[in-house]
Amino acid sequence: MINQTILINIFTIYIRISSALNTNEDSKLNFTGLGFKYGHNVEEHNVITEDGYILKLYHIPGNDRRPVLLVHGIIDSSDTFIIRGNGSLAITLVNRGYDIWAINTRGNRCSKLHEYLNPNDGNFWNFSFHEMGYYDLPATIDYILERTNQKQLTAIGHSQGNTLFYVLGSTRPEYNEKIKVMIALAPICFLHNVKPPVSTLLELLPTVGNLLQTFGMEEVFSDEAVYSGVIKSLCNQKEVGYEVCARGVFFAIGGSDSSEFEPEFLPVVVSRYPTSTSRKNGVHVAQVALRRSFSQYDYGPMRNIAVYNTIVPPLYDLGKVKMRVVLFVGRNDGMSSIRDTELLRDRLPNVEYRLLEHKKLNHLDHVWGRNMDQYLFPHILSVLKKYN
């Protein structure tokens, strides 16, 4: 039988050949390289959280009186805001004078360092979106405000990236005063009304999570994992990649919009997406959906008593999220449904709700769509102008 090492070597060679055949330059550039290519110097900063995680924070300097923090979604990174080059949100905003800061939350490929834990240690991955909101955001916000000498900043979150602010505002309410406005692109909070295949995936996640835990696999979508390389190689195949990966996965989950996600763009995306997160993070998202409750992580009754002093995990009190939140909702979003975003709207005390007109606007278009300068960015710029 061919042993595992030989298989890994075969896949590694295959992946490298596939990458070499990919001629799209942007797929080979990181955030810093893309910033330079499109006319801007990028600074790299390290932010250390209260619990010891070391986060990579990218900064594209602009007017430091107008800092904007960009927060990516699940299994994503800061690259999501710049991979469209001159058509990306990061470049669009810095070209208009905003001071851009792009976080990488704990565990993704840019933020896999800790003061004393090693990513090979399962304890490193003992986090979900709760810790990202409770630790990563405060450390990053304070770091930016200290360096810009400002008392407030503006934030833009995509998908789970805005979920973190609901965690922050409800568990550390003093940070509400540090946010001028939080623009929530494709808002994720409640998941009561998702449909297949998303609902099916969420139903399976706890079982998959338990299986992974049995095998000691606390990190998922690692760049070093054989299956991640195979996925990237498959998606880069010209004949089948777009049908399988774009239409079969991205469109099926996030909503279909082929005019905004062309075949030539797919290699740029799959060169950095998905990236790593914790098994626990995926399970926590599933719990929110299956329990129909936006609450903290459910460890089970006995451990919940030890952790929370209650059998069930506490709810996040959205009434404490006093920061101004502007919800940007797409009509074709397979993950962030209109009904779920209306539930969120009705529970936030300081909110604006914008159901955008473009009928095909889906979950991924907010960051990857090639014509967002027409359909989305004017709305973002109007909010920024209003509150800055």
Side-chain angles (χ1 to χ4, degrees):
M1 292 180 64
I2 300 176
N3 65 33
Q4 185 177 9
T5 301
I6 294 174
L7 284 174
I8 291 174
N9 289 336
I10 292 172
F11 282 130
T12 301
I13 293 170
Y14 178 64
I15 291 161
R16 288 175 178 173
I17 292 173
S18 297
S19 298
L21 293 174
N22 180 2
T23 58
N24 192 316
E25 179 188 36
D26 286 8
S27 67
K28 299 175 177 64
L29 298 174
N30 64 6
F31 193 101
T32 302
L34 287 169
F36 182 78
K37 177 180 177 178
Y38 293 101
H40 298 277
N41 291 323
V42 178
E43 301 170 357
E44 297 185 11
H45 298 253
N46 287 328
V47 175
I48 302 177
T49 68
E50 184 181 335
D51 58 343
Y53 286 82
I54 301 172
L55 313 177
K56 182 68 68 179
L57 178 66
Y58 291 109
H59 177 215
I60 312 178
N63 182 344
D64 61 10
R65 292 176 297 176
R66 298 197 294 174
V68 178
L69 171 61
L70 305 179
V71 186
H72 62 81
I74 193 170
I75 58 175
D76 207 351
S77 71
S78 60
D79 288 2
T80 202
F81 294 109
I82 200 170
I83 57 175
R84 272 293 182 182
N86 285 325
S88 68
L89 182 58
I91 299 298
T92 297
L93 295 181
V94 76
N95 284 344
R96 285 162 175 76
Y98 291 97
D99 193 47
I100 301 305
W101 301 80
I103 187 178
N104 288 279
T105 55
R106 61 183 62 197
N108 82 7
R109 69 169 57 87
C110 301
S111 295
K112 292 177 73 171
L113 295 174
H114 193 279
E115 289 186 304
Y116 53 87
L117 292 175
N118 189 299
N120 293 326
D121 180 353
N123 290 325
F124 178 95
W125 301 99
N126 185 23
F127 62 80
S128 73
F129 64 79
H130 174 84
E131 284 74 17
M132 297 176 195
Y134 191 84
Y135 293 113
D136 293 4
L137 284 189
T140 303
I141 290 168
D142 289 341
Y143 186 95
I144 294 169
L145 295 180
E146 180 180 353
R147 277 148 187 81
T148 57
N149 197 31
Q150 299 297 303
K151 294 182 178 180
Q152 292 182 308
L153 57 74
T154 297
I156 303 176
H158 174 243
S159 189
Q160 192 180 89
N162 60 70
T163 313
L164 309 188
F165 285 90
Y166 314 142
V167 174
L168 175 69
S170 61
T171 60
R172 306 184 81 160
E174 66 273 18
Y175 278 86
N176 285 295
E177 298 300 321
K178 298 186 180 186
I179 309 296
K180 281 184 182 179
V181 60
M182 198 281 283
I183 297 173
L185 306 178
I188 291 289
C189 181
F190 298 106
L191 294 166
H192 296 4
N193 297 289
V194 290
K195 298 177 180 179
V198 177
S199 59
T200 305
L201 289 172
L202 291 170
E203 290 170 2
L204 291 173
L205 268 175
T207 301
V208 173
N210 290 335
L211 183 63
L212 292 174
Q213 188 176 36
T214 299
F215 288 100
M217 298 174 64
E218 296 296 335
E219 177 185 7
V220 294
F221 293 113
S222 168
D223 290 336
E224 290 76 35
V226 172
Y227 64 82
S228 293
V230 173
I231 290 170
K232 287 176 171 56
S233 296
L234 174 63
C235 293
N236 276 320
Q237 302 307 306
K238 291 184 179 179
E239 298 299 325
V240 299
Y242 191 78
E243 290 300 318
V244 173
C245 299
R247 296 189 188 278
V249 179
F250 293 146
F251 293 173
I253 293 174
S256 178
D257 192 358
S258 58
S259 63
E260 293 300 319
F261 192 119
E262 69 279 18
E264 295 76 18
F265 184 59
L266 181 60
V268 180
V269 171
V270 299
S271 65
R272 67 258 294 166
Y273 184 93
T275 186
S276 48
T277 190
S278 67
R279 175 198 62 83
K280 184 177 180 180
N281 190 28
V283 172
H284 194 178
V285 172
Q287 289 177 355
V288 169
L290 300 178
R291 298 180 73 249
R292 300 177 66 85
S293 171
F294 186 53
S295 55
Q296 296 191 36
Y297 190 84
D298 187 356
Y299 294 98
M302 297 304 295
R303 192 173 173 196
N304 283 342
I305 292 174
V307 175
Y308 307 121
N309 199 31
T310 178
I311 293 176
V312 296
L315 295 171
Y316 292 108
D317 185 354
L318 294 174
K320 292 182 179 178
V321 184
K322 299 295 180 63
M323 67 184 77
R324 168 63 64 174
V325 177
V326 182
L327 303 173
F328 280 66
V329 180
R331 298 172 185 268
N332 185 35
D333 195 321
M335 297 184 69
S336 181
S337 71
I338 292 174
R339 290 177 65 186
D340 285 334
T341 57
E342 289 174 343
L343 287 173
L344 175 60
R345 175 198 62 192
D346 294 343
R347 286 163 173 77
L348 290 172
N350 191 10
V351 64
E352 294 180 26
Y353 185 86
R354 300 195 179 196
L355 181 60
L356 300 178
E357 294 180 1
H358 182 52
K359 292 182 179 180
K360 287 190 174 183
L361 186 69
N362 65 28
H363 200 76
L364 303 176
D365 283 349
H366 288 84
V367 286
W368 295 347
R370 64 173 166 179
N371 293 303
M372 291 304 99
D373 58 332
Q374 301 174 37
Y375 303 130
L376 177 64
F377 294 170
H379 300 283
I380 293 175
L381 291 168
S382 71
V383 173
L384 291 176
K385 183 178 181 181
K386 178 179 179 179
Y387 290 102
N388 282 272

PDB file of all heavy atoms in Angstrom, residues 240-253:
ATOM      1  N   VAL A 240     -13.085  22.287 -15.016  1.00  0.00           N
ATOM      2  CA  VAL A 240     -14.108  21.932 -14.026  1.00  0.00           C
ATOM      3  C   VAL A 240     -14.120  22.848 -12.801  1.00  0.00           C
ATOM      4  O   VAL A 240     -15.086  22.843 -12.037  1.00  0.00           O
ATOM      5  CB  VAL A 240     -13.922  20.478 -13.548  1.00  0.00           C
ATOM      6  CG1 VAL A 240     -14.065  19.509 -14.706  1.00  0.00           C
ATOM      7  CG2 VAL A 240     -12.561  20.284 -12.879  1.00  0.00           C
ATOM      8  N   GLY A 241     -13.045  23.626 -12.611  1.00  0.00           N
ATOM      9  CA  GLY A 241     -12.913  24.406 -11.385  1.00  0.00           C
ATOM     10  C   GLY A 241     -14.073  25.346 -11.128  1.00  0.00           C
ATOM     11  O   GLY A 241     -14.624  25.388 -10.016  1.00  0.00           O
ATOM     12  N   TYR A 242     -14.482  26.096 -12.154  1.00  0.00           N
ATOM     13  CA  TYR A 242     -15.547  27.081 -11.955  1.00  0.00           C
ATOM     14  C   TYR A 242     -16.885  26.399 -11.678  1.00  0.00           C
ATOM     15  O   TYR A 242     -17.646  26.824 -10.805  1.00  0.00           O
ATOM     16  CB  TYR A 242     -15.667  27.981 -13.182  1.00  0.00           C
ATOM     17  CG  TYR A 242     -16.549  29.188 -12.961  1.00  0.00           C
ATOM     18  CD1 TYR A 242     -16.079  30.302 -12.265  1.00  0.00           C
ATOM     19  CD2 TYR A 242     -17.846  29.223 -13.452  1.00  0.00           C
ATOM     20  CE1 TYR A 242     -16.883  31.411 -12.062  1.00  0.00           C
ATOM     21  CE2 TYR A 242     -18.659  30.324 -13.254  1.00  0.00           C
ATOM     22  CZ  TYR A 242     -18.176  31.421 -12.549  1.00  0.00           C
ATOM     23  OH  TYR A 242     -18.979  32.516 -12.343  1.00  0.00           O
ATOM     24  N   GLU A 243     -17.150  25.309 -12.396  1.00  0.00           N
ATOM     25  CA  GLU A 243     -18.416  24.609 -12.198  1.00  0.00           C
ATOM     26  C   GLU A 243     -18.498  23.997 -10.800  1.00  0.00           C
ATOM     27  O   GLU A 243     -19.526  24.081 -10.131  1.00  0.00           O
ATOM     28  CB  GLU A 243     -18.584  23.516 -13.259  1.00  0.00           C
ATOM     29  CG  GLU A 243     -18.833  24.046 -14.649  1.00  0.00           C
ATOM     30  CD  GLU A 243     -20.092  24.883 -14.744  1.00  0.00           C
ATOM     31  OE1 GLU A 243     -21.113  24.484 -14.148  1.00  0.00           O
ATOM     32  OE2 GLU A 243     -20.051  25.941 -15.401  1.00  0.00           O
ATOM     33  N   VAL A 244     -17.400  23.385 -10.382  1.00  0.00           N
ATOM     34  CA  VAL A 244     -17.407  22.693  -9.092  1.00  0.00           C
ATOM     35  C   VAL A 244     -17.317  23.674  -7.930  1.00  0.00           C
ATOM     36  O   VAL A 244     -18.108  23.602  -6.973  1.00  0.00           O
ATOM     37  CB  VAL A 244     -16.250  21.672  -9.014  1.00  0.00           C
ATOM     38  CG1 VAL A 244     -16.151  21.082  -7.604  1.00  0.00           C
ATOM     39  CG2 VAL A 244     -16.444  20.569 -10.038  1.00  0.00           C
ATOM     40  N   CYS A 245     -16.357  24.589  -7.991  1.00  0.00           N
ATOM     41  CA  CYS A 245     -16.072  25.443  -6.830  1.00  0.00           C
ATOM     42  C   CYS A 245     -16.943  26.697  -6.772  1.00  0.00           C
ATOM     43  O   CYS A 245     -17.466  27.027  -5.711  1.00  0.00           O
ATOM     44  CB  CYS A 245     -14.589  25.826  -6.830  1.00  0.00           C
ATOM     45  SG  CYS A 245     -13.491  24.400  -6.714  1.00  0.00           S
ATOM     46  N   ALA A 246     -17.083  27.386  -7.898  1.00  0.00           N
ATOM     47  CA  ALA A 246     -17.891  28.607  -7.900  1.00  0.00           C
ATOM     48  C   ALA A 246     -19.381  28.272  -7.891  1.00  0.00           C
ATOM     49  O   ALA A 246     -20.099  28.618  -6.949  1.00  0.00           O
ATOM     50  CB  ALA A 246     -17.530  29.478  -9.092  1.00  0.00           C
ATOM     51  N   ARG A 247     -19.831  27.579  -8.923  1.00  0.00           N
ATOM     52  CA  ARG A 247     -21.265  27.266  -9.005  1.00  0.00           C
ATOM     53  C   ARG A 247     -21.682  26.219  -7.967  1.00  0.00           C
ATOM     54  O   ARG A 247     -22.746  26.329  -7.354  1.00  0.00           O
ATOM     55  CB  ARG A 247     -21.617  26.769 -10.407  1.00  0.00           C
ATOM     56  CG  ARG A 247     -21.428  27.802 -11.501  1.00  0.00           C
ATOM     57  CD  ARG A 247     -21.990  27.309 -12.819  1.00  0.00           C
ATOM     58  NE  ARG A 247     -21.667  28.200 -13.918  1.00  0.00           N
ATOM     59  CZ  ARG A 247     -22.349  29.318 -14.207  1.00  0.00           C
ATOM     60  NH1 ARG A 247     -23.389  29.661 -13.461  1.00  0.00           N
ATOM     61  NH2 ARG A 247     -21.987  30.071 -15.230  1.00  0.00           N
ATOM     62  N   GLY A 248     -20.844  25.209  -7.776  1.00  0.00           N
ATOM     63  CA  GLY A 248     -21.222  24.103  -6.915  1.00  0.00           C
ATOM     64  C   GLY A 248     -21.100  24.386  -5.435  1.00  0.00           C
ATOM     65  O   GLY A 248     -21.798  23.767  -4.625  1.00  0.00           O
ATOM     66  N   VAL A 249     -20.221  25.324  -5.051  1.00  0.00           N
ATOM     67  CA  VAL A 249     -20.004  25.606  -3.629  1.00  0.00           C
ATOM     68  C   VAL A 249     -20.351  27.055  -3.299  1.00  0.00           C
ATOM     69  O   VAL A 249     -21.295  27.321  -2.547  1.00  0.00           O
ATOM     70  CB  VAL A 249     -18.549  25.299  -3.219  1.00  0.00           C
ATOM     71  CG1 VAL A 249     -18.341  25.619  -1.747  1.00  0.00           C
ATOM     72  CG2 VAL A 249     -18.210  23.837  -3.492  1.00  0.00           C
ATOM     73  N   PHE A 250     -19.599  28.008  -3.833  1.00  0.00           N
ATOM     74  CA  PHE A 250     -19.799  29.413  -3.461  1.00  0.00           C
ATOM     75  C   PHE A 250     -21.212  29.897  -3.761  1.00  0.00           C
ATOM     76  O   PHE A 250     -21.871  30.510  -2.920  1.00  0.00           O
ATOM     77  CB  PHE A 250     -18.776  30.304  -4.171  1.00  0.00           C
ATOM     78  CG  PHE A 250     -17.356  30.103  -3.724  1.00  0.00           C
ATOM     79  CD1 PHE A 250     -16.306  30.226  -4.616  1.00  0.00           C
ATOM     80  CD2 PHE A 250     -17.064  29.795  -2.401  1.00  0.00           C
ATOM     81  CE1 PHE A 250     -14.997  30.058  -4.200  1.00  0.00           C
ATOM     82  CE2 PHE A 250     -15.757  29.612  -1.979  1.00  0.00           C
ATOM     83  CZ  PHE A 250     -14.721  29.747  -2.886  1.00  0.00           C
ATOM     84  N   PHE A 251     -21.687  29.634  -4.987  1.00  0.00           N
ATOM     85  CA  PHE A 251     -23.026  30.100  -5.359  1.00  0.00           C
ATOM     86  C   PHE A 251     -24.109  29.337  -4.609  1.00  0.00           C
ATOM     87  O   PHE A 251     -25.137  29.905  -4.228  1.00  0.00           O
ATOM     88  CB  PHE A 251     -23.246  29.965  -6.863  1.00  0.00           C
ATOM     89  CG  PHE A 251     -22.402  30.878  -7.711  1.00  0.00           C
ATOM     90  CD1 PHE A 251     -22.400  30.770  -9.086  1.00  0.00           C
ATOM     91  CD2 PHE A 251     -21.594  31.843  -7.130  1.00  0.00           C
ATOM     92  CE1 PHE A 251     -21.627  31.611  -9.873  1.00  0.00           C
ATOM     93  CE2 PHE A 251     -20.808  32.692  -7.907  1.00  0.00           C
ATOM     94  CZ  PHE A 251     -20.828  32.566  -9.287  1.00  0.00           C
ATOM     95  N   ALA A 252     -23.889  28.042  -4.406  1.00  0.00           N
ATOM     96  CA  ALA A 252     -24.893  27.236  -3.704  1.00  0.00           C
ATOM     97  C   ALA A 252     -25.078  27.712  -2.273  1.00  0.00           C
ATOM     98  O   ALA A 252     -26.201  27.715  -1.752  1.00  0.00           O
ATOM     99  CB  ALA A 252     -24.484  25.767  -3.720  1.00  0.00           C
ATOM    100  N   ILE A 253     -23.995  28.131  -1.642  1.00  0.00           N
ATOM    101  CA  ILE A 253     -24.061  28.549  -0.239  1.00  0.00           C
ATOM    102  C   ILE A 253     -24.383  30.033  -0.096  1.00  0.00           C
ATOM    103  O   ILE A 253     -25.238  30.430   0.697  1.00  0.00           O
ATOM    104  CB  ILE A 253     -22.728  28.223   0.471  1.00  0.00           C
ATOM    105  CG1 ILE A 253     -22.544  26.703   0.567  1.00  0.00           C
ATOM    106  CG2 ILE A 253     -22.686  28.853   1.866  1.00  0.00           C
ATOM    107  CD1 ILE A 253     -21.209  26.280   1.128  1.00  0.00           C
TER     108      ILE A 253
END
